[in-house]
């Protein structure tokens, strides 16, 4: 008997089918099918042929492919009994639970005492499907590997795009050609990682940022993941995502994957990006006050580092407020005897040497300037040179002879006593002070992968969020080392990278927008000389790159010349005027005909306005700029186009282009098919173009 189920939104349909009560297969995922499509017929025509050199039947590429069905590729589940014997599963359907937009398929393996559940939920507004797998056992078992529900990859695709990176160089795109065999990526560092962001995009042939079909995946887990993109000998392709292998160190009776977020687009990579941006911003992140505008952020790290001095900090705060800052964050160095990064982590008590009257004199000063106050913690870490480590060396995760990272170890977050200690110390600081924001750092990889560590960190965050619901939390892990939808269920902002180099940020932000909206992505104007690259960049460029996301400042504002301060104040003022609609806008990557130009278009939710940021990263190969095509506009509408920063045109831009002197009205058809021809510019500069529908 054939059984089929479907999930739909306006642009896509996901169809699952099975027979003989076997595990279901995804038999269709793509553009929305007609409501009267015969799903049983789809199941019968979905089967591929059999020829010489093959089995007599094709093993199912199911939501959890089974070795017992002679599946020739990576199985979806590898589990062993307590004595180490591998349990070869053979699941049979028990029931299917359906409600609007949701499907739960429950299977039983009586011989091994296992129950497997695959859950699917489609969000008809954001076009994101959440898929999750659950395994339950009658007796404790060892889990080696479990994938979230497996889906096939498209056949009309020549390549896949996944993500790599490093400290200060996050979100680098890798394009890998499909070929027989497996693309295998695994992150065993115990955190999401700069090196292995858990995302994958599969463009169909001819797809670009702005057109064509594409499929996208994100695994929402903060503890390290495994990704498999496999082409089987018969040509079928499968995508698997799950926790890194052997992350569950103890036998248990229940295991669950994180949600796998998937989406289909017939509008290029931008369609996938907008789905993820909206889903994260509107369905996952919970802001303490959703009506409050995102404040201009000031972080003191690159101003003072560990040299905390109350008069200096007050002076810096006053200057930051004059520039337009609305939140002041006190970074590392306020606690214990924290004079450098070798000591005092976990001694979360105010340092009386630096703050003899406590933090309140600084907090009161910050509040008197109209700014809110935030503070830095790194709760999951501990220095060997700390009072807490001397008292509780057994709280540290890993062996005594482990290699340190930034002179620190990780605390064992699976221990309830560790979480209780951290909750008490952090709660005490929050209760005794008017603090509205936490920068939550995580500056080393773990000495061993363990899913319990991540669950413990989640539990602490959840407990603190429940106790202090009005406190906003930023996820920082040496910059972008812990960015995923799992941590963002518990936080409201991410620190994309420790690099404030605007040139590096331009590309990182462009690529990160495939998953992340502006509202959660912190971007700061750094010092004149970047401390991670040594590069010196013009204030115009630094400020406009920061204005692409949740804008902030991270420098000693006393270094600014009068000219630099004027530019920064002006850009901050522009950002404040536009932030309400920009923080809800869709970020669309544009196809630039000039590889030197990295361009994006932020389109308002009501499509009534947009802003284009066109950053020139390097010298162009041709003399004059090529037209830049826009996207997703109304072809029949007219738009008032204004070059916001036309006053920054340099002397070598000698032409008489209208945009350099006045706004122009242009049709959506012209803007999307011919494009805007911008003035000439030096490398390391940005043009900012506003569009207002007439």
């Amino acid at each position: 008997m054939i059984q089929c189920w479907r999930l739909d939104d306006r642009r896509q349909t996901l169809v699952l089918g099975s027979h003989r009560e076997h595990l279901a297969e995804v038999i269709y995922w793509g553009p929305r099918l007609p409501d009267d499509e015969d799903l049983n017929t789809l199941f019968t025509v979905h089967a591929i042929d059999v020829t010489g050199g093959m089995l007599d039947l094709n093993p199912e590429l199911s939501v959890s492919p089974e070795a017992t069905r002679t599946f020739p590729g990576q199985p979806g589940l590898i589990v062993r009994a307590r004595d180490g014997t591998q349990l070869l599963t053979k699941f049979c359907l028990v029931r299917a639970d359906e409600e609007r937009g949701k499907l739960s398929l429950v299977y039983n393996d009586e011989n091994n005492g296992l129950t497997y559940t695959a859950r699917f939920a489609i969000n008809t507004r954001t076009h994101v499907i959440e898929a999750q797998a659950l395994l339950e056992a009658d007796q404790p078992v060892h889990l080696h590997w479990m994938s979230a529900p497996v889906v096939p990859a498209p056949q009309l695709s020549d390549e896949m795009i996944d993500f790599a990176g490093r400290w200060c160089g996050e979100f680098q795109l890798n394009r890998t050609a499909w070929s027989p065999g497996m693309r295998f990526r695994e992150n065993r560092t115990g955190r999401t990682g700069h090196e292995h962001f858990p995302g994958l995009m599969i463009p169909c042939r001819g797809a670009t940022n702005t057109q064509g079909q594409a499929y996208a995946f994100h695994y929402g887990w903060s503890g390290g993941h495994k990704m498999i993109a496999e082409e089987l000998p018969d040509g079928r392709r499968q995508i698997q995502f799950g926790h890194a292998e052997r992350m569950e160190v103890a036998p248990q009776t229940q295991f669950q994957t994180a949600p796998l977020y998937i989406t289909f687009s017939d509008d290029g990579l931008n369609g996938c990006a907008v789905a993820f941006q909206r889903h994260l911003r509107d369905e996952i992140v919970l802001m303490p006050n959703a009506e409050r505008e995102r404040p201009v952020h000031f972080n003191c790290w690159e101003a003072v580092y560990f040299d905390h001095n109350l008069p200096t900090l007050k002076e810096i705060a006053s200057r930051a407020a004059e520039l337009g800052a609305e939140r002041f964050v006190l970074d590392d160095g306020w606690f214990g005897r924290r004079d450098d990064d070798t000591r005092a982590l976990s001694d979360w008590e105010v340092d009386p040497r630096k703050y003899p009257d406590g933090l309140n004199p600084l907090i009161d000063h910050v509040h008197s300037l109209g700014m809110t106050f935030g503070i830095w913690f790194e709760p999951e870490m501990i220095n060997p040179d700390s009072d807490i480590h001397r008292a509780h060396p057994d709280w540290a995760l890993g062996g005594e002879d482990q290699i340190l990272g930034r002179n620190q170890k990780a605390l064992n977050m699976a221990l309830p006593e560790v979480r209780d200690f951290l909750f008490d110390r952090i709660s005490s600081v929050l209760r005794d002070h008017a603090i509205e924001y936490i920068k939550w750092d995580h500056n080393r990889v773990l000495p061993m992968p363990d899913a319990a560590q991540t669950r413990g960190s989640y539990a602490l965050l959840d407990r603190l969020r429940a106790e202090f619901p009005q406190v906003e939390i930023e996820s920082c892990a040496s910059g972008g080392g812990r960015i995923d939808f799992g941590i963002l269920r518990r936080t409201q902002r991410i620190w994309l990278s420790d690099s404030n180099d605007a040139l590096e940020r331009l590309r990182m932000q462009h690529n990160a927008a495939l998953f992340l909206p502006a509202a959660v992505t912190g971007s700061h104007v750094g010092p004149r000389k970047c401390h991670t690259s040594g590069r010196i960049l013009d204030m115009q460029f630094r400020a406009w790159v920061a204005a692409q996301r949740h804008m902030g400042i991270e420098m000693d504002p006393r270094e600014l010349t009068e000219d630099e301060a004027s530019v920064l104040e002006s850009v901050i003022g522009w950002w404040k005027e536009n932030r309400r609609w920009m923080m809800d806008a869709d970020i669309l990557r544009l196809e630039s005909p000039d590889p030197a130009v990295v361009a994006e278009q932020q389109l308002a939710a009501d499509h009534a306005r947009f802003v284009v940021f066109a950053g020139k990263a390097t010298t162009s190969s041709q003399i004059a700029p090529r037209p830049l095509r826009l996207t997703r506009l109304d072809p029949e509408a007219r738009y008032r186009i204004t070059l916001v920063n036309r006053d920054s045109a340099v002397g070598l831009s000698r032409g008489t282009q209208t945009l350099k002197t006045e706004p122009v009205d242009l049709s959506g058809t012209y803007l999307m098919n011919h494009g805007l021809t911008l003035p000439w510019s030096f490398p390391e500069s940005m043009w900012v173009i506003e569009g207002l529908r007439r």
Side-chain angles (χ1 to χ4, degrees):
M1 181 181 72
I2 296 173
Q3 291 180 278
C4 294
W5 306 270
R6 65 183 285 173
L7 295 168
D8 300 277
D9 61 28
R10 294 188 309 277
R11 80 178 186 197
Q12 68 184 330
T13 296
L14 180 77
V15 181
L16 296 104
S18 71
H19 66 147
R20 300 198 300 263
E21 298 185 336
H22 290 190
L23 286 166
E25 303 176 73
V26 173
I27 61 172
Y28 177 85
W29 180 28
R32 166 113 189 195
L33 293 172
D35 290 342
D36 61 354
E37 189 82 49
D38 188 315
L39 302 187
N40 284 2
T41 300
L42 286 189
F43 185 85
T44 59
V45 301
H46 172 261
I48 61 174
D49 201 0
V50 176
T51 185
M54 299 177 70
L55 297 171
D56 296 337
L57 289 173
N58 292 300
E60 294 117 331
L61 201 171
S62 71
V63 292
S64 183
E66 295 176 288
T68 49
R69 309 288 187 191
T70 329
F71 185 73
Q74 169 78 22
L77 178 67
I78 302 175
V79 64
R80 297 181 183 277
R82 297 192 74 161
D83 64 2
T85 303
Q86 184 170 353
L87 303 179
L88 297 174
T89 65
K90 190 174 182 180
F91 287 110
C92 295
L93 183 66
V94 175
R95 68 179 187 276
D97 299 325
E98 292 184 84
E99 56 183 288
R100 188 175 181 84
K102 295 181 179 180
L103 172 66
S104 181
L105 301 175
V106 182
Y107 298 87
N108 192 35
D109 176 352
E110 292 185 1
N111 289 338
N112 292 308
L114 301 174
T115 300
Y116 172 86
T117 304
R119 300 190 185 114
F120 300 86
I122 191 166
N123 188 300
T124 57
R125 194 186 65 80
T126 65
H127 308 298
V128 169
I129 301 169
E130 295 188 23
Q132 196 165 13
L134 171 68
L135 181 69
E136 297 168 291
D138 294 344
Q139 300 293 327
V141 294
H142 290 279
L143 182 69
H144 180 85
W145 164 246
M146 181 166 66
S147 174
V150 177
V151 295
Q155 296 289 300
L156 192 63
S157 171
D158 299 318
E159 65 178 5
M160 65 191 83
I161 303 170
D162 57 20
F163 299 83
R166 56 172 173 78
W167 178 71
C168 289
E170 291 85 346
F171 282 94
Q172 299 174 20
L173 267 58
N174 293 320
R175 293 179 179 266
T176 305
W178 281 101
S179 63
M182 184 187 296
R183 169 74 168 161
F184 177 104
R185 294 196 63 176
E186 187 171 31
N187 170 17
R188 302 192 60 78
T189 65
R191 66 179 185 184
T192 318
H194 307 77
E195 308 83 1
H196 302 282
F197 176 76
L200 176 69
M201 291 199 162
I202 303 178
C204 292
R205 189 173 299 161
T208 66
N209 285 320
T210 59
Q211 62 185 6
Q213 294 186 348
Y215 296 78
F217 307 78
H218 172 71
Y219 190 62
W221 170 250
S222 308
H225 77 286
K226 184 172 93 170
M227 180 202 86
I228 288 171
E230 183 177 21
E231 184 172 297
L232 303 174
D234 56 32
R236 291 179 296 173
R237 295 166 172 174
Q238 66 161 333
I239 304 298
Q240 296 191 14
F241 272 94
H243 293 11
E245 290 184 358
R246 301 181 301 281
M247 288 285 284
E248 303 290 357
V249 298
Q252 299 177 45
T253 57
Q254 182 171 305
F255 301 95
Q256 183 169 255
T257 70
L260 176 63
Y261 301 91
I262 65 175
T263 189
F264 163 79
S265 164
D266 56 7
D267 193 20
L269 297 181
N270 281 338
C272 298
V274 168
F276 283 140
Q277 290 168 25
R278 292 180 180 178
H279 196 76
L280 178 62
R281 183 188 63 225
D282 302 337
E283 304 293 333
I284 293 178
V285 172
L286 181 64
M287 292 290 182
N289 183 352
E291 299 304 313
R292 181 187 175 191
E293 294 180 333
R294 302 299 277 149
V296 177
H297 193 101
F298 179 85
N299 185 290
C300 74
W301 175 243
E302 294 188 39
V304 299
Y305 297 100
F306 294 103
D307 187 15
H308 287 218
N309 172 281
L310 186 58
T312 299
L313 286 167
K314 284 185 173 181
E315 183 183 2
I316 287 171
S318 297
R319 187 71 187 100
E322 291 172 5
L323 292 168
E326 298 162 310
R327 172 192 287 154
F328 180 95
V329 178
L330 185 67
D331 212 290
D332 194 357
W334 58 268
F335 56 92
R337 300 183 67 84
R338 183 74 165 173
D339 297 329
D340 54 40
D341 66 1
T342 67
R343 71 196 75 189
L345 268 186
S346 73
D347 295 339
W348 300 114
E349 294 176 328
V350 178
D351 185 350
R353 301 171 306 151
K354 298 175 183 177
Y355 298 95
D357 298 313
L359 293 177
N360 281 325
L362 177 60
I363 294 173
D364 292 343
H365 178 72
V366 166
H367 286 166
S368 75
L369 298 168
M371 294 191 289
T372 59
F373 188 86
I375 197 165
W376 182 94
F377 283 98
E378 193 174 3
E380 296 143 286
M381 299 296 155
I382 188 168
N383 287 128
D385 183 5
S386 67
D387 292 341
I388 299 303
H389 190 277
R390 284 184 281 272
H392 298 283
D394 54 309
W395 284 5
L397 186 69
E400 293 182 8
D401 61 345
Q402 66 181 271
I403 298 173
L404 300 182
R406 203 178 183 237
N407 303 290
Q408 63 197 49
K409 298 178 181 179
L411 284 167
N412 187 346
M413 297 299 293
L415 298 176
E417 58 268 34
V418 169
R419 298 197 300 272
D420 288 344
F421 161 76
L422 291 171
F423 179 81
D424 289 344
R425 286 289 175 95
I426 297 170
S427 296
S428 177
V429 174
L430 295 180
R431 288 195 189 99
D432 293 347
H433 305 91
I435 292 172
E436 297 90 351
Y437 185 89
I438 292 174
K439 179 181 178 182
W440 186 297
D441 217 335
H442 187 290
N443 274 305
R444 67 153 291 169
V445 299
L446 300 185
M448 51 186 282
D450 185 351
Q453 180 77 5
T454 303
R455 288 193 291 267
S457 296
Y458 282 175
L460 176 60
L461 281 161
D462 291 342
R463 188 177 175 189
L464 285 165
R465 288 290 312 283
E467 186 74 14
F468 303 97
Q470 295 305 309
V471 175
E472 184 175 332
I473 302 175
E474 172 188 293
S475 174
C476 173
S478 305
R482 185 159 63 179
I483 297 173
D484 61 81
F485 288 14
I487 199 67
L488 279 161
R489 282 197 177 276
R490 297 158 174 89
T491 59
Q492 295 83 23
R493 192 178 196 257
I494 54 92
W495 185 227
L496 190 64
S497 176
D498 276 346
S499 174
N500 277 322
D501 183 314
L503 192 59
E504 300 285 349
R505 277 275 178 160
L506 179 68
R507 292 193 183 279
M508 275 190 276
Q509 291 175 177
H510 190 64
N511 293 339
L514 289 168
F515 297 90
L516 304 175
V520 305
T521 308
S523 187
H524 298 173
V525 182
R528 186 180 301 115
K529 183 175 182 179
C530 178
H531 78 153
T532 58
S533 69
R535 192 179 278 122
I536 297 174
L537 295 166
D538 180 76
M539 175 56 78
Q540 285 270 359
F541 187 52
R542 284 186 281 155
W544 283 118
V545 169
Q548 290 181 277
R549 300 294 184 266
H550 181 195
M551 190 172 190
I553 309 166
E554 189 162 351
M555 65 165 81
D556 187 340
R558 299 172 301 176
E559 79 168 29
L560 296 173
T561 65
E562 189 175 328
D563 224 25
E564 289 172 328
S566 176
V567 169
L568 183 51
E569 286 180 47
S570 175
V571 175
I572 288 174
W574 178 91
W575 189 83
K576 285 181 175 180
E577 290 176 5
N578 291 278
R579 61 181 160 187
R580 184 168 289 279
W581 73 265
M582 283 177 59
M583 294 300 98
D584 288 329
D586 297 332
I587 304 172
L588 306 168
R589 290 159 43 105
L590 297 178
E591 293 296 332
S592 173
D594 182 353
V597 174
V598 179
E600 71 179 32
Q601 174 186 330
Q602 297 191 17
L603 182 62
D606 62 3
H607 287 206
R609 63 193 308 169
F610 63 82
V611 60
V612 171
F613 295 95
K616 192 170 183 181
T618 187
T619 304
S620 299
S621 58
Q622 76 283 346
I623 292 177
R626 294 183 167 127
L628 180 65
R629 291 186 180 191
L630 308 190
T631 188
R632 288 199 180 189
L633 303 179
D634 182 345
E636 303 301 320
R638 298 185 73 79
Y639 296 86
R640 172 63 55 91
I641 304 299
T642 304
L643 187 60
V644 176
N645 58 338
R646 61 189 182 216
D647 292 342
S648 65
V650 296
L652 282 177
S653 174
R654 299 184 296 154
T656 56
Q657 289 174 290
T658 307
L659 271 179
K660 290 199 291 185
T661 58
E662 61 185 87
V664 297
D665 288 353
L666 296 168
S667 69
T669 297
Y670 179 86
L671 291 168
M672 291 190 292
N673 292 282
H674 180 275
L676 277 174
T677 304
L678 297 171
W680 187 91
S681 60
F682 284 124
E684 301 171 357
S685 64
M686 175 90 77
W687 288 123
V688 183
I689 306 101
E690 288 181 331
L692 189 63
R693 184 168 177 157
R694 304 292 284 168

